[in-house]
Amino acid sequence: MKKMIGTKVRRTIAGQLAFATAMIFSLPGNMQAQQQTQTITAPSIDDVTYGVAAFSVSATSSSGLTVSYGVAGPASVDTDGLLTVLGKGSVTVFFFQDGDASYHIAAPAVKSFTVNGATATVTLADASVAYTGTGQSLTPTQTDSGGTDLSEPISVTYTDAAGAAVASPTNVGVYTATATITSGSNYSGSDTATLTITKAAATVTISEISQNHDGSQKPVTVVTVPAGLTVT
């Protein structure tokens, strides 16, 4: 009888065991569960205007597992997908689902939108003041669309009747004032008004007007308020 060498015997037994093991694990109830793929469905987000109320960007996954959120830009988002706008600019929202024993990690979803600046009402009133020798100015007010007072950074510039820029109107004349909310603000708005500086009233007092005649010229004393005015 032909003998089997030891190596061949061991290989034959090992092969039979591997086959038997494969058959056992192929029986119903013995298969290891395979992770399934999943997808995220996120809403489209329209552009908004600064000052908008918080709104939902809630998303769902095909697995039914909870979606988590992240954001880049002037906004915040909570665990429920409620987004709050914090300023104007570009905002990107990220949607994640990390999977579990039954589902693979989902490919993240990304949605972007723009927060536009809001329009403010800037009011600058006309004014007329008398000359004082010091610079004059106008003070603007500003409110949002609901009438609430704002304190956004604002600049006021002046030009004279010839259109030349004037840093601080001082001399008698008519000036155009323009108030503008600065570009770095979440609001925009401007207004113009007229600042008129009129001549100030002066007083002239003459003394020593009653003197005895002696044939010589008699001087009088003239005092002006403000002092130093030319009197003829």
Side-chain angles (χ1 to χ4, degrees), residues 20-99:
T21 300
M23 290 298 293
I24 291 170
F25 277 94
S26 68
L27 295 173
N30 289 322
M31 287 192 66
Q32 186 175 3
Q34 296 290 321
Q35 281 185 308
Q36 301 179 60
T37 59
Q38 60 168 327
T39 58
I40 294 173
T41 300
S44 59
I45 309 173
D46 295 331
D47 292 347
V48 299
T49 299
Y50 177 77
V52 65
F55 57 94
S56 176
V57 293
S58 178
T60 59
S61 66
S62 59
S63 65
L65 298 174
T66 301
V67 174
S68 60
Y69 307 90
V71 67
S76 64
V77 62
D78 67 13
T79 55
D80 295 322
L82 186 66
L83 186 141
T84 301
V85 169
L86 303 176
K88 70 177 183 180
S90 178
V91 176
T92 301
V93 184
F94 303 92
F95 304 84
F96 307 99
Q97 212 312 299
D98 294 334

Side-chain angles (χ1 to χ4, degrees), residues 2-232:
K2 188 174 181 181
K3 294 183 179 180
M4 287 184 127
I5 61 175
T7 300
K8 186 172 183 180
V9 172
R10 286 195 296 272
R11 288 178 177 172
T12 301
I13 294 174
Q16 291 173 342
L17 286 173
F19 177 76
T21 300
M23 290 298 293
I24 291 170
F25 277 94
S26 68
L27 295 173
N30 289 322
M31 287 192 66
Q32 186 175 3
Q34 296 290 321
Q35 281 185 308
Q36 301 179 60
T37 59
Q38 60 168 327
T39 58
I40 294 173
T41 300
S44 59
I45 309 173
D46 295 331
D47 292 347
V48 299
T49 299
Y50 177 77
V52 65
F55 57 94
S56 176
V57 293
S58 178
T60 59
S61 66
S62 59
S63 65
L65 298 174
T66 301
V67 174
S68 60
Y69 307 90
V71 67
S76 64
V77 62
D78 67 13
T79 55
D80 295 322
L82 186 66
L83 186 141
T84 301
V85 169
L86 303 176
K88 70 177 183 180
S90 178
V91 176
T92 301
V93 184
F94 303 92
F95 304 84
F96 307 99
Q97 212 312 299
D98 294 334
D100 60 8
S102 299
Y103 289 91
H104 287 292
I105 296 174
V110 180
K111 299 290 183 178
S112 296
F113 66 100
T114 298
V115 179
N116 297 307
T119 300
T121 298
V122 176
T123 302
L124 197 61
D126 295 340
S128 179
V129 296
Y131 173 83
T132 64
T134 59
Q136 303 294 328
S137 63
L138 299 181
T139 302
T141 61
Q142 48 179 307
T143 58
D144 65 14
S145 59
T148 301
D149 289 339
L150 298 173
S151 57
E152 298 299 309
I154 193 168
S155 64
V156 182
T157 58
Y158 302 89
T159 56
D160 62 18
V166 178
S168 180
T170 303
N171 296 325
V172 171
V174 178
Y175 301 86
T176 299
T178 302
T180 306
I181 293 177
T182 59
S183 59
S185 169
N186 291 313
Y187 292 87
S188 62
S190 65
D191 193 22
T192 59
T194 299
L195 170 62
T196 303
I197 300 178
T198 61
K199 291 183 178 181
T203 60
V204 179
T205 303
I206 304 175
S207 60
E208 299 180 87
I209 58 174
S210 178
Q211 300 185 42
N212 294 324
H213 175 70
D214 61 5
S216 64
Q217 187 176 14
K218 303 294 182 180
V220 296
T221 301
V222 178
V223 177
T224 64
V225 178
L229 297 179
T230 300
V231 177
T232 58

